[in-house]
Amino acid sequence: MGALAPPHSAPGLGGQQSLCPVCLLFGYSLAAARAQGVPGPDPGTAGGCRCPVLGVVRAQLTGMLTSPISSAGFVVGHAGLYQALAMFAVAYFIIGMTVLSVCAIATNGALDAGGAYYMISRALGPEFGGSIGIMFFLANVCGSALYVLGLVEAVVDSFGQKAGTGVHVLPQSYWYELLYGTVLLALCLLVCLVGASIYAKATFLIFLIVAGVLGTILVSFFATRPIGVPIRLPRFNGSEIENGSFTGFSLATLRDNLGGGYAVDYTTGQMMSFSSVFAVMFNGCTGIMAGSNMSGDLKRPSYSIPRGTISAVLFTYLVYNLLAFLMCATCNRTLLQKDYGFLRDISIFPPLVTVGIYAATLSAAMSNLIGASRILYALARDDLFGRALALAKKTSASGNPVMAVILSWLVVQLVLFSGKLNTIAGVVTTFFLLVYATVNLACLALEWASAPNFRYLPTFRYFTWHTCLLGIAGCCVMMFLISPVSASASLGFLLILLLALHYLSPSSTWGYISQALIFHQVSPYLLMLDVRKDHVKFWRPQMLLMVQNPRGSARLIDFVNDLKKSGLYVLGHVELQDLDTLPSDPLQPQQDSWLSLVDKLNVKAFVSLTLAPSVRHGVRQLLFTSGLGGMRPNTLVLGFYDDEAPQDGLARHPAFTSAREEVPLGFPPLRAPATPKLLSPREYVGIVADALKMLRNVLLARQLESLDKAWELRRAASPPPTIHVWPVNLLRPDSARYADTCSLFLLQMACVLNMARAWRRARLRLFLCVEAGAMPHAQEEKLRQLLKDLRIQAQIQLVPWDAVTRLHWQTRRGPPGGPAPAGAAEEEEEEEGAVNFPANTTQVSDEYVCAANKLVLEQSPAPAVRFLYLPRPPADTSLYPLYLHQLELLTRGLGPTVLVHGVSAVTSTQL
């Protein structure tokens, strides 16, 4: 928009002291509407008044020179007084909402150096904090380059060979102007490297100049007599002279300037409109973080920031309106529209205005360079990007982050090569608005989380979630109004940074607002999840997998994760110790290892650990206590009890072998083959019986550690992998049925596995065991109709098993099809709903079980996994070892096998 970009300055504060009247008038952050950087070392007590607030005033008044003054002239020249006042009101309403959020966060706890970055990172976590920190760093870098280029352009306008007025001594070209900018930036670098003392002295000198300039400008509106001002406008074929006029206070001039009069901007050749003028005006109001950026230099930031920032916003708002009225009442529209440097022409001492512009802009560039270095140092110190920013951690003996300053200077130098002032200005404003929108988002998240530690009483309470939303909406609207391209690019860049940091997963001790929000939202929904309203149509498996040592159960953990179908998944572990004899809970140190295991295996599971005198008691505890409300495990999963030596599958799991990472610490070595087990066969079967008594479904998984899911499901062979399903009780062929509760549950579990993303290529194969003379085709049609009603796609395969069942009838001493022995009816009756089964195991010989095992094994091709019917344990506990022995014979050599017993109805044919 003009030859000079609006400057700013943002120094820091010293210790909190008593306030003088001037400080109360101007506030802690007088020029916060233009200051855009993080402060450098404390200049607040260097020379002059020792009051820290006056130190801020004298440093930040530099931002008052060209920001409200030149912008106000441009705005009222095109929009007129009425629309200009409306623009100021809208703009300051937007930034006022953000200021409320800043004040709320600033009063919520102790603040350290870093300003907006510190607030956002500690409120929203490392992902948002690191992303916004990088963008805030780039905003300050681009801001420093912006003011350097603005100063170069102003100097060249006055002293260049093509200047309309002044001394023509400086050659003009892209490379010469780059050289001038490099020299000025080197001067800023030198000051920043020396440290706080020279910066404080420079700030005090600039304060005196700016104070004199402001006084001169205000006096000039009253002291200067009406004059004509010739305006030289650049044209393609030379230049053109137009005459503007300073009329002094005139009612006619005021009336002419009340309405809008949008014209072509002489510096860009673009036709101005309400939105474009509003964008330029708002560009001068985005420095509202100056006070909070001083957080590291303030003794009491929670006291200083709210009062200083709010007073700064109010003061600059009044200055904008006052200047707009004075300009409209004294300058004609031609002067306001065609000469953005008209204040020098009407000033009673023009050289002082020029010197003030140069000094203020140089101070702004220096302040942004210091601000960028402080943000870079804070990012490096927080170690969010690992070794990438390790160099920026180095400081001098006095604590000055010299390497961060040098790195920031290099980046600013690279930006200077662009040489495009207007492009950089749009990026700077967009980046700052994005930072302010995120500050509002942080405050909104803290408010919505309703955490007890987010307390803003008694310091600041004048905000609600409505003001946060208005601030977010206002900043986003202004971003796209100012520059749609820059806004879209900034949001895309922010998203990339968020994804990168999420992938890097930097650890922090700041807390994660997402966890607080999730907890706040989940609690009401858990209360709404009423178990009395459960319906079979919406049933889903909720698994409790008991794990003795994860080193031997890695693939089983992954397999059960595929079986849960978005339901609850809990990894349970029992530690055999007595808390009475221990000084502290031994499970707490193990919790992190289990949670790390869940993360590495990429399973969606909770972890539940317990202490108990025996494994059986521990499993009972977990079945009683795991889950919450309507989310409780309805299915217990156990590894199979056999004599096979455990294998360390965790070390060979792709989650560790591909990333070459060590197995998480905290898990003991696997049990040696000669070492006795922690539970006996009787106790193991007792766990199964306990679960069935508690109406929990039971799954026993055997040889799942031999299941190579990646090979089975991704191999390029043409026949897809299969899942074999045997929904018949092979240990009770006399009562074999395919439509009881357990059989249907077994079908459902196989179908659920087939629905998992990794198993969709697999095909279900259902085996129908038939005997001679039993009308197999009728049975097949009946089963096919059942599958159709249940909407299960499976291939039915008929399996003659007369040779197998003959062994069973021989054991029972009764012919097939003859009268059943005494007690058979009672057994079947209890099969349906009784708690315990009779001792059916005594009526099944090992020869029969081996024949059934051979029958299952002969079905080809070999499947990826088999699902078999799990009969109930016998009522007589003395037969538990025999029951387990028969299960071992039945599943011997079958490969990955899951024995299933269901006690709940899980299928429905209703819509």
Side-chain angles (χ1 to χ4, degrees), residues 408-710:
S408 302
W409 165 75
L410 287 174
V411 180
V412 175
Q413 183 64 54
L414 291 176
V415 177
L416 285 181
F417 279 97
S418 70
K420 296 181 179 179
L421 192 65
N422 291 334
T423 301
I424 297 176
V427 172
V428 169
T429 304
T430 303
F431 275 17
F432 276 109
L433 283 172
L434 191 56
V435 172
Y436 303 155
T438 313
V439 170
N440 281 293
L441 178 63
C443 186
L444 178 66
L446 289 171
E447 171 70 7
W448 276 354
S450 298
N453 282 325
F454 184 53
R455 299 187 286 261
Y456 39 87
L457 288 173
T459 50
F460 190 86
R461 56 176 182 241
Y462 304 106
F463 84 102
T464 66
W465 64 269
H466 304 86
T467 62
C468 300
L469 280 179
L470 288 173
I472 295 172
C475 291
C476 292
V477 168
M478 286 311 307
M479 281 172 53
F480 285 93
L481 186 62
I482 291 173
S483 176
V485 176
S486 297
S488 302
S490 300
L491 290 174
F493 183 54
L494 176 63
L495 181 60
I496 292 174
L497 288 174
L498 281 171
L499 294 176
L501 281 173
H502 181 74
Y503 178 77
L504 294 173
S505 299
S507 59
S508 72
T509 58
W510 312 332
Y512 296 82
I513 190 64
S514 59
Q515 298 301 303
L517 288 172
I518 291 172
F519 184 89
H520 182 65
Q521 294 300 315
V522 164
S523 298
Y525 285 107
L526 278 176
L527 293 173
M528 294 169 61
L529 195 59
D530 192 343
V531 294
R532 296 169 297 182
K533 298 179 181 179
D534 284 346
H535 193 279
V536 65
K537 291 191 299 184
F538 308 112
W539 180 91
R540 66 180 69 242
Q542 304 195 68
M543 321 294 283
L544 171 61
L545 170 62
M546 298 305 304
V547 180
Q548 192 250 330
N549 191 332
R551 294 182 182 274
S553 306
R555 288 182 173 172
L556 176 58
I557 293 173
D558 184 61
F559 179 80
V560 177
N561 186 64
D562 291 334
L563 270 179
K564 72 180 190 306
K565 186 56 179 174
S566 303
L568 178 67
Y569 184 18
V570 180
L571 296 180
H573 173 72
V574 179
E575 194 77 14
L576 298 182
Q577 296 189 58
D578 187 358
L579 190 60
D580 289 339
T581 63
L582 299 173
S584 62
D585 183 7
L587 299 178
Q588 292 303 320
Q590 299 181 28
Q591 192 78 15
D592 289 342
S593 296
W594 283 86
L595 294 176
S596 299
L597 174 74
V598 168
D599 293 338
K600 293 297 181 184
L601 295 181
N602 194 28
V603 296
K604 298 177 181 179
F606 298 95
V607 174
S608 186
L609 312 179
T610 188
L611 289 177
S614 69
V615 176
R616 186 174 181 180
H617 282 83
V619 175
R620 285 178 183 174
Q621 291 177 20
L622 293 177
L623 285 173
F624 277 123
T625 61
S626 294
L628 192 63
M631 295 191 66
R632 292 186 178 277
N634 56 31
T635 304
L636 174 66
V637 186
L638 301 173
F640 197 79
Y641 191 97
D642 54 30
D643 295 326
E644 296 181 9
Q647 302 293 325
D648 193 344
L650 198 60
R652 303 191 305 270
H653 195 278
F656 299 98
T657 56
S658 60
R660 298 181 180 178
E661 299 187 30
E662 296 182 359
V663 176
L665 300 177
F667 301 129
L670 288 172
R671 175 184 59 84
T675 305
K677 298 182 179 180
L678 294 178
L679 74 165
S680 64
R682 185 185 300 271
E683 188 178 10
Y684 176 82
V685 179
I687 293 174
V688 177
D690 291 343
L692 295 178
K693 291 176 184 179
M694 299 168 67
L695 298 182
R696 302 297 200 277
N697 310 296
V698 176
L699 274 61
L700 303 184
R702 185 172 191 185
Q703 295 186 349
L704 261 297
E705 289 305 303
S706 65
L707 173 62
D708 191 345
K709 186 174 70 172

Side-chain angles (χ1 to χ4, degrees), residues 129 184 299 530 538 650 660 752 759 781:
L184 293 172
K299 185 176 181 180
D530 192 343
F538 308 112
L650 198 60
R660 298 181 180 178
V752 166
W759 291 87
E781 186 60 31

Side-chain angles (χ1 to χ4, degrees), residues 768 776-786:
L768 176 61
H777 295 292
Q779 294 183 25
E780 180 183 4
E781 186 60 31
K782 184 178 180 180
L783 183 58
R784 196 178 302 280
Q785 184 62 40
L786 175 64

